[in-house]
Every structure is written in C-alpha cells, then in structure tokens.
Amino acid sequence: MVFRSRRLEDLLGGRLDEVGYGDIAALIGRQEAVEAEDLDYKQQHYGSDAKSREELAKDVAALANHIGGILVIGMAESRGVPSRAFDVDLDDRHVRDLQQRIAASTAPSVRWEPLLKENPANPGHGLLLLTVPRSPEAPHAIIVPPTKPTSAALRYPRRAGSKTDWLTETYVASAYRQRFSSAADRAERMRDIEARLVTSELSCTRTHLLVTLVPDVPGEMRINQRSFIDYKEQLLASQPLIATETRLFRHVSVGSHRLIVEQRSDRADSDLAHLYDDGSGIWAQSLQTSVANDEDPTDRVRSLAGDFLAHRLMSALIFLASHARDRCGVAGTVAVEVDLVDGMYAHPYAPPLPTSQRAPSARPAPVATAAAPAGRPSTGGGT
C-alpha cells in the first residue's frame, strides 16, 4: 500500500515512496508546507507514557477519519511551518512499537505505512513518515484510557485544518451509515462497470476472462488533452502480461469518465480494458480454448491450461491496480471480481440471448481448466 496525495506530491516534487530526505528537508521555512489537514510534524518519536500513547492514537485516527495524510517524525515546526530537522533513530524497533501501539489503541485498527527517509550524512537516522490513507472503515475510535477527564467512552478524532476536532454524535452516526452503505455502493459500481462493457461487446463469442477492480476509497484522474497524450503513450508502451515483452494494446480513446484501451480497433474478440477516472477498471481478455475433435459436437468441453489462466489473472490484477495507484492516486484496499465466460452472452449481466441466435439441438460448451506441465506460464492465446 502506497499512500497517494496529489497535493503532497506536488509539494514534495514526487511520490512519497520515491522522494528522499533532502526533498523533505527542503520544506524547512516554506510557508506552503505549513501544517494542514493532511500534514503534521512531530519533532521526536512518540513517548511510552499514557499521554503519548493517546496522542499517537489521536493523530493517526484523525487522518484516517478525514482525507488521509502524513505525520513527519523528526521535523520541528514554528507556527505550523517546518523549522528544523531533528533526525530520529530509524531502527526497526520504533516501527514495530508504533504498529503494536496503533493496533491496540484504535478501533477498528487504523491502516498505515511507514516510510523511512535516511539522512545520507547521518546513517541510521533521518525522518520517519507515517502515511495514513483515508479509511473506508471510518470512523475510527480511540480506545486507550483518556488522560484528561471525559464522559465519552469512545472518542472519535478528525483532522480539521492543522488541528484535531472531536466528532459529534450526529457525525459519528453519519459516518457509520457511510461505512455500511459503502459496501453496497461498491457492489453497484462493479455491476455498472461490468454491464457497460459486456453489453457493448455482445458480438464477442470466444471465451473471455473478465477482471474488475473497484477501490474502497475512490481516487481521481484528470482527463484533458495534455494528460490524455501522456496516458496514451504510457498504455501503448506498456507490457501488461507478466514475464513477456508483448505490447498488447494498440488503440487508446476516451469514453465517459474512462480511458478505453483496445488490442484491435475492430475488436474482433480481442482484449479490451476500461480504465475509469476514480481508479476502477475492467479488463476483458479473449482466451483461446482447445476442444477435442473426437467428442460429440453437442457435448464438447472447452479447456484452458491452469497456468495460462493464472498468468492472465495475475497480469490483469497488476495492470488494474497500477492504474488505480499511479493515475488515480488510490491507496488502501479494493474489491475484485473475476468472471470466466463462454462468450459475452454467458455473463450474468448480459441480456438474454436473442431467439434467432439460439441453437435448438446444441448447448454452449462449458469451460474447464486443466493443470499444465510445470514450467514457465503459457503466454499465447488471444494476444
């Protein structure tokens, strides 16, 4: 999981996992790097006392309950503006301690990732970034005992500008409704994405593997003339099949809120992908199946090698996840659905097969998978 934030990446000049110590140290004295709803500075490691444990839980939960962000440990601030780097020890024991404390003090446990930025002039020391994506499981409560008297059994912090507020009962109730409804929203989103592709490709009669991915927390991809040129160059140069140098896609166009990536412009049972501006995506892969010639034509079974199918599935997952992360800034978990269909009319979201196309004496051949000999995965079929 790599936290993505367009604002913070613009501020630092690159992705959080790619920038170095010097890029972050360069923020010192810059007003635009002032503490904000997605950025906080801590001069030193959190202590082991009760107040520090509560402060850590509050800081990470506040980001997760809002839009996400980063905590920079080892950076002092003056009126919110980074003022001086105080390199902290980057020993792994500090990360393990943070993992244990956050897991034990927040409910549900906040998901986060550490990024260590070592100072080349001070080996073993530098800045520790705690990256916290916006959480689909919000609201997160603090469950450690309060250090100040309070009547609240559970406390829900939320980032507000450069400070932390506590959620009211009304907002907490609303956040819980959002958490429970989001799963249904993702399922509906996935159905819409699949149905849109399937209904536009009903003429495809070969076996297809459809892989659909929908992020729990949507991202954002801007599609304009300049960005489209960049996206098109990336996709045409991409080699989406694992362990091959095949440049599979040959055509890229723009649809409603999505990029349409095709193997052939006339389709003709070739590969097709829809990459949406919220990080969702679907890749329909045309697969070559084999049928034994000596079988009864009305009872034939089409077969696929198991390693070939696994290779295509893993390639699709990496391709779609890369789109969500790199173009749309998605971080966190996603929902995935996989369908293997004998032609698009066999998909659950396809309309009924027209009567004129139904064969009265034959039935569609089912698709079976068969184990293939050990070795390098097959990369043929439909490419």
Side-chain angles (χ1 to χ4, degrees):
M1 177 187 72
V2 178
F3 173 64
R4 301 296 305 276
S5 165
R6 201 180 302 275
R7 191 191 84 83
L8 294 176
E9 289 176 5
D10 289 344
L11 179 65
L12 291 168
R15 283 176 39 162
L16 298 179
D17 58 332
E18 296 176 350
V19 299
Y21 176 91
D23 298 304
I24 303 172
L27 299 178
I28 294 173
R30 292 172 54 185
Q31 185 62 40
E32 61 268 32
V34 67
E35 288 184 328
E37 58 187 356
D38 58 355
L39 180 60
D40 198 4
Y41 302 107
K42 302 293 177 183
Q43 180 173 322
Q44 56 190 6
H45 282 297
Y46 289 89
S48 58
D49 57 289
K51 183 177 180 180
S52 296
R53 290 197 297 270
E54 181 183 26
E55 187 72 13
L56 171 63
K58 183 187 72 172
D59 289 342
V60 296
L63 291 172
N65 286 339
H66 191 33
I67 62 172
I70 60 174
L71 296 168
V72 182
I73 300 178
M75 181 70 77
E77 53 82 18
S78 176
R79 297 183 178 180
V81 178
S83 58
R84 181 182 173 185
F86 285 84
D87 294 351
V88 297
D89 185 359
L90 297 180
D91 190 273
D92 188 57
R93 73 178 188 277
H94 292 293
V95 175
R96 294 197 303 269
D97 183 57
L98 289 170
Q99 291 171 335
Q100 294 172 357
R101 287 203 235 171
I102 293 173
S105 60
T106 58
S109 179
V110 172
R111 299 180 184 182
W112 63 285
E113 182 180 28
L115 294 176
L116 281 61
K117 307 297 180 180
E118 186 178 48
N119 183 351
N122 189 11
H125 296 76
L127 301 171
L128 173 60
L129 274 59
L130 275 58
T131 65
V132 184
R134 176 185 171 190
S135 176
E137 299 177 324
H140 294 267
I142 296 176
I143 57 177
V144 293
T147 55
K148 294 182 180 180
T150 177
S151 59
L154 293 177
R155 294 160 295 150
Y156 298 84
R158 184 176 188 267
R159 198 74 175 166
S162 61
K163 305 298 181 182
T164 297
D165 281 344
W166 298 96
L167 301 183
T168 64
E169 190 279 334
T170 300
Y171 189 94
V172 170
S174 176
Y176 271 112
R177 285 194 298 270
Q178 177 64 29
R179 181 201 292 181
F180 297 134
S181 65
S182 62
D185 293 341
R186 288 193 297 275
E188 184 65 25
R189 175 68 172 147
M190 187 170 291
R191 180 187 179 94
D192 290 344
I193 290 172
E194 293 183 32
R196 175 177 289 181
L197 184 143
V198 168
T199 55
S200 68
E201 301 297 316
L202 292 175
S203 61
C204 297
T205 57
R206 284 175 61 173
T207 299
H208 274 72
L209 174 69
L210 284 79
V211 182
T212 310
L213 179 148
V214 175
D216 288 348
V217 178
E220 178 187 7
M221 175 178 67
R222 299 168 183 165
I223 303 179
N224 52 41
Q225 185 175 9
R226 181 176 179 178
S227 66
F228 173 70
I229 293 174
D230 293 338
Y231 298 149
K232 182 177 180 179
E233 291 179 352
Q234 294 169 9
L235 291 165
L236 293 181
S238 67
Q239 299 170 354
L241 298 178
I242 300 173
T244 75
E245 297 181 357
T246 303
R247 293 189 178 184
L248 184 67
F249 298 116
R250 294 291 182 264
H251 301 274
V252 181
S253 57
V254 177
S256 177
H257 296 284
R258 69 192 190 277
L259 298 172
I260 300 173
V261 190
E262 301 168 282
Q263 184 179 3
R264 293 175 53 177
S265 59
D266 61 357
R267 289 288 293 116
D269 282 311
S270 59
D271 285 25
L272 171 69
H274 289 178
L275 305 176
Y276 286 84
D277 59 5
D278 66 349
S280 301
I282 180 171
W283 183 359
Q285 303 185 42
S286 178
L287 307 180
Q288 181 67 53
T289 57
S290 60
V291 180
N293 292 327
D294 58 347
E295 294 183 8
D296 183 348
T298 63
D299 195 31
R300 287 181 175 177
V301 175
R302 300 181 186 179
S303 61
L304 284 167
D307 64 342
F308 168 65
L309 190 60
H311 172 252
R312 282 305 196 104
L313 173 58
M314 291 302 299
S315 296
L317 291 173
I318 293 173
F319 177 72
L320 296 174
S322 296
H323 163 70
R325 182 193 65 190
D326 298 336
R327 297 190 188 91
C328 304
V330 168
T333 54
V334 300
V336 173
E337 182 170 319
V338 179
D339 296 286
L340 182 63
V341 296
D342 185 23
M344 288 301 181
Y345 271 112
H347 192 278
Y349 301 150
L353 183 68
T355 304
S356 60
Q357 298 183 32
R358 298 176 185 173
S361 59
R363 64 182 184 220
V367 179
T369 59
R376 182 175 177 178
S378 170
T379 57
T383 60

